[in-house]
Amino acid sequence: MIIGLHADMQLSSAALTTAPAVRKRSNEVESAQVSDAMEVAQLSSLAAVDSHAGSCEAEMPSRLLNDAVRSLPYHVVKDLLSIGVCSRCVLRILGTEDHIYCHSSFSQSMLCSVLEEVTGFKSEGDFRFCSVCLGILQLSYRDDKEALVKMESPNDMALVIAELVKKEGHQIDGFSLEVSIPQFILENESSLLSGMKKRYESEPWFQERLLSKCVSVKDVLKFAITKPLETLLDTKASASSFRIRLAYTHKMAFGNSVERNQGFKRRKIGTENGLQNVNDESVVANKDCSDYPTNETIAVTGRSSLKVPIDKVSEPCHLVYLCYRTHIYLCGRYLKYSRNVSQTRWIIDEERMGEASVEIQNARQVPSEETVKEIESKINGLENKLVGVKNLQVVGSQGWTLMREGEAEKQKQYCALVWISRPLEDEDVCSISLLNDMQILQKTPIRVLHRRSPLERKKIIHWMKIERIAESSQYFLLHLCTQAGTYIKEFVHGDFGRTQPSIGSILGCRAEILQLDVTDVKMDSF
């Protein structure tokens, strides 16, 4: 502490100034010692005050929690605790001010103790999973090995997540926290709130507290672990490409979903068609109490009991932690030097076709401009020379959007080696060169019908020209520019009449394509 350091400095100074006095005037020693003792006492007192101030600051959340709990309707708190609702769910459902229950240092046992001490309710002693959140806000879950995990505070969960991020070696300058929970939890909460409306709506506190300030389960969890995560990861939560996802599932949700959805998903509320689907997780925090459907499994007997659909939860949710990065977009030109390299993974009957493909998934690092240049150099320096790239750069998701939007307008140029069943004539060369911006109609080729929808597509052949091959009358090179997405092979041979017109139909003979290369791609967006 600063005060403590200041005290040490003053004591050292006092010792230096009094030592000569002791040697010269022994009768002043006692006085000096008394003076020093008084100074030490004063400094100690100041240090104690400062320490007390720090302690008070640390105790502030606890004091706010006590004040918040004391403002709650005690009988309602007791009712909720008695049916297995956890402390955090009690506080959020009753709209506790300032979301104090989201504080990252509060353990479930601490929250429970405060509620019990203030309200006088005594639990059975045995740990119970919450009948509403199914243990999520109790920080209890089954992990990927089906082992039961119980954490004390949100700080503990944040530590586990941070260690996972660091272990996987992700480079991050921000993170986006995502939480998914079973729909079953929302149904539980909806039923509970409907029961509370029936039981307590005539009481003064009801309209002030219930629903309007109720925060959803997943938002409470996000509030509780975001701050400690920011500290541990030394970065801020933001709309980042790096995502941390907490995926909760529960076996009970699968078993009861069909039965429970009957009478829950739809309810007459006076809309135009008389029905409204209720399936949004945010509905809990935003809808008025009257908008909640009443599940038939809830029971409210007179004014003496309050029940939720599940009396006792024996198993918590299953939790999977996921850390991943959304797509990183690299823009540039690439050249394929082999016809056996596909643009994407090409798998037929579970067998991979082609030598390789271009692909990057779940990148651990965001490449800098310098790194991208190194990548470009390494690719171009490979011995096998399957592909080459140039003008490589990182672009945002808008780059992908521009490319997709420009696909219909972009033009591709090809060079095809063609054989025809008769000798090529000068008239053929002339007639082909005169066909500009010719529209063709193509049905999905037979060769791709197993993986493409059977559709008819209109495409444009912008221009064509024939290059003769010396000492060959039936072979020639066809240079052409077409709209992207044109099936060139089918345009040459006609695909049994599925492409009209075709080179074969134009020349009035059989035509076959032997080789095909892309020579250029023209795209205004890039």
Side-chain angles (χ1 to χ4, degrees), residues 493-513:
H493 58 63
D495 197 24
F496 300 102
R498 296 173 67 84
T499 292
Q500 289 289 343
S502 64
I503 292 295
S505 66
I506 293 170
L507 298 180
C509 64
R510 180 183 168 195
E512 296 292 344
I513 185 168

Side-chain angles (χ1 to χ4, degrees), residues 371-519:
T371 303
V372 171
K373 292 301 179 185
E374 291 178 3
I375 293 173
E376 183 175 321
S377 298
K378 287 182 179 180
I379 293 174
N380 293 331
L382 293 174
E383 293 182 3
N384 54 19
K385 279 292 182 181
L386 294 176
V387 296
V389 294
K390 60 181 181 179
N391 301 328
L392 203 61
Q393 56 187 298
V394 177
V395 296
S397 58
Q398 69 276 8
W400 171 254
T401 303
L402 284 173
M403 189 179 74
R404 300 295 295 178
E405 290 176 349
E407 277 190 342
E409 289 76 29
K410 75 180 179 183
Q411 300 177 8
K412 298 181 74 173
Q413 295 182 14
Y414 301 87
C415 179
L417 176 60
V418 179
W419 171 88
I420 57 175
S421 59
R422 63 167 178 79
L424 184 68
E425 304 291 341
D426 290 340
E427 292 180 0
D428 299 328
V429 177
C430 183
S431 63
I432 290 294
S433 64
L434 292 176
L435 297 174
N436 294 324
D437 295 326
M438 177 180 67
Q439 180 174 288
I440 65 171
L441 183 64
Q442 291 192 308
K443 293 182 179 179
T444 302
I446 292 174
R447 65 183 172 91
V448 297
L449 268 175
H450 67 286
R451 56 189 174 92
R452 297 283 177 86
S453 302
L455 302 173
E456 286 188 347
R457 300 171 177 85
K458 293 180 180 179
K459 297 295 180 181
I460 302 296
I461 309 298
H462 295 291
W463 56 260
M464 294 183 288
K465 66 178 181 179
I466 289 178
E467 179 184 350
R468 290 180 179 272
I469 297 177
E471 300 179 359
S472 177
S473 62
Q474 291 179 257
Y475 292 89
F476 61 89
L477 293 177
L478 176 65
H479 299 275
L480 68 165
C481 178
T482 74
Q483 180 182 355
T486 303
Y487 292 105
I488 304 302
K489 295 177 181 178
E490 284 66 28
F491 172 63
V492 172
H493 58 63
D495 197 24
F496 300 102
R498 296 173 67 84
T499 292
Q500 289 289 343
S502 64
I503 292 295
S505 66
I506 293 170
L507 298 180
C509 64
R510 180 183 168 195
E512 296 292 344
I513 185 168
L514 306 179
Q515 286 185 352
L516 179 64
D517 294 296
V518 178
T519 57

Side-chain angles (χ1 to χ4, degrees), residues 8 29 69 76 93-94 98 108 122 130 220 239 381 432 442 451 477 515:
D8 290 343
V29 170
V69 171
V76 181
I93 287 172
L94 292 177
D98 301 322
Q108 182 67 15
K122 297 300 179 184
C130 179
V220 170
I432 290 294
Q442 291 192 308
R451 56 189 174 92
L477 293 177
Q515 286 185 352

